[in-house]
Structures are given as C-alpha cells and as structure tokens.
Amino acid sequence: MPRSIHVLIAAALLLAAACGQGRVAKSISPREVTIPAGDASLAATLYPSLEPRPAGLLLLHGAQGHRDDWILFATRAQQAGFVALAPEFAWPADASGRIDASALDRIQSAFDHLQHAGIDPARIALVGADVGAGLALQYAARNTAVNAVALVSPGLDFGGISAEKALDEYGRGAVYFVSASGDAFSADSARKLHAKASGFAELREYPGAAHGTDLFTVSENSAAQLLDWLKTVL
C-alpha cells in the first residue's frame, strides 16, 4: 500500500480521537526520533502513551517496507495504551536477498531506545511483518527481555531466515501468528509454525490475500484482536 495512503488513514484516526476522546487525543503525539546504531543511525517514529509504565512494542517492517507501514497499527496500539516504536530499517542483504546478521544489531539499537522511552522494561513485545517477522523471532531467541512476539504474514524462509529454527531457539515464549488465507505461502507457514510452537501460541487467519501490514487495513478486526492478545501476555 502506498505510504501516502497510510498517512491519510492515520490522519483520519487522529482526527476521530481528537473529536471524541479527550484523554486519548492528549496521548497521541507521535514524534520523530533518531537512534544511534553503530556508525550509522535509524530514523524512527515513536508513538508515546500517557499510561504509567506502559508496555512497549517494537515494530519491524518487511523487506520492501517502511516505518510508515505501521501507522494504522501503531496509532491503534497507542490508543490502547501501548508505546510503539517503528524504526526505518534498511535490511542488509546480499545479492540473493539473504539478510545479513548485522540486522540483529540494528534491532538491538532500536530495542535499547524503546527500553528508555518510559515503558515498563519487563513488558516488551516485538511485532514483525514479512521478513521482519522472522527477524523478530530470531532476535527474541537471543534476548530474554522480549516477552512476546507477533508474526504478521511470516514465512518459513524469508530473507534466508529459518523461522522454524528461530522458533525452536525461542522456546516456550508467547507467540502470535496472523496471516490472510489467500496469501498462501504465509498462511501455510503460519499454520506450520503454530503447530510447532511449544509455548503459549495463538493462530489467526483472515479472508483475502493481504500481506504484511496491509492486513490491518483489509481485515477490520485484525489489529484489535492482536492488541487484545498483547494485553493478555504483557
């Protein structure tokens, strides 16, 4: 979905909140931040909350995605009392499309920033879409401070990342799988991964063929149901 559409959707959500919910309107002030990441930096959008010590969500976009892909979901997460951080990642990949391991270092930089954004550091989840789903799971497997992972349109092997191996390494952590039934590869991957999960896991599948964050626009209840699950596990 074009980035301009995501921006228009977010503007409509912000206007609705400002008109009808005074306290929510005060909390909705997304701001641009710059995150040091080694010799470079990450541009990101932070969606803060007025809630005391809220849970934090780190959002990882897909291979061809952008941080603006998360505007709809992040705005709803913010209205639900979460703090969300959506960085702009340029996933490092070789000529075959395999994601370099240095991507995990960039996620670490973003994770560190989120931990210092006024959240409860004991309540953090990663939400990843497309290749970001595999990376979220891979990162969670090496960082015990991650309480839950949500995989939006995952793949068994996106960007050379074995989601099955990462799931094994993640162990009994909470994980949520969501896809559209017409997005055949991701739907099949989500089912297989859910069957393999050894911890608290939930699988949601919606009609249509939307992929990644487009699912939140096409499937009306998908964002709300994911946020309800996150409230349960965080």
Side-chain angles (χ1 to χ4, degrees):
M1 179 177 292
R3 299 176 72 179
S4 59
I5 300 299
H6 287 288
V7 173
L8 288 173
I9 291 171
L13 284 171
L14 296 180
L15 179 60
C19 291
Q21 302 179 45
R23 185 163 184 258
V24 172
K26 291 180 182 178
S27 72
I28 299 180
S29 301
R31 63 176 182 266
E32 304 299 301
V33 297
T34 301
I35 301 171
D39 296 331
S41 61
L42 298 172
T45 304
L46 179 69
Y47 299 78
S49 170
L50 287 179
E51 297 293 329
R53 291 176 65 79
L57 306 180
L58 179 57
L59 311 178
L60 310 183
H61 61 68
Q64 305 302 321
H66 306 279
R67 57 178 161 150
D68 286 352
D69 295 347
W70 291 108
I71 288 176
L72 175 61
F73 179 79
T75 301
R76 290 183 175 173
Q78 184 186 41
Q79 292 172 353
F82 294 93
V83 167
L85 180 65
E88 185 79 35
F89 293 105
W91 298 126
D94 61 22
S96 68
R98 178 177 291 272
I99 303 295
D100 188 87
S102 64
L104 297 178
D105 296 330
R106 301 184 187 191
I107 297 172
Q108 182 66 56
S109 297
F111 188 88
D112 291 343
H113 187 91
L114 179 61
Q115 282 190 305
H116 294 91
I119 68 166
D120 180 349
R123 299 165 61 213
I124 305 178
L126 269 61
V127 184
D130 184 76
V131 74
L135 285 165
L137 195 56
Q138 195 175 54
Y139 176 80
R142 78 174 197 176
N143 187 344
T144 57
V146 177
N147 305 110
V149 180
L151 310 182
V152 184
S153 303
L156 291 178
D157 186 351
F158 276 158
I161 299 165
S162 171
E164 290 181 290
K165 179 181 178 181
L167 184 62
D168 283 340
E169 293 172 349
Y170 182 52
R172 300 190 62 82
V175 59
Y176 186 96
F177 306 93
V178 57
S179 64
S181 57
D183 182 11
F185 180 71
S186 286
D188 184 60
S189 295
R191 295 184 204 113
K192 289 179 178 177
L193 291 168
H194 178 254
K196 188 178 180 65
S198 58
F200 179 66
E202 184 166 339
L203 174 67
R204 292 276 184 174
E205 191 171 310
Y206 297 92
H211 183 77
T213 54
D214 286 346
L215 190 64
F216 300 125
T217 302
V218 174
S219 299
E220 184 177 350
N221 295 325
S222 57
Q225 290 175 333
L226 172 51
L227 290 169
D228 284 345
W229 182 84
L230 288 167
K231 288 179 182 179
T232 299
V233 297
L234 296 179

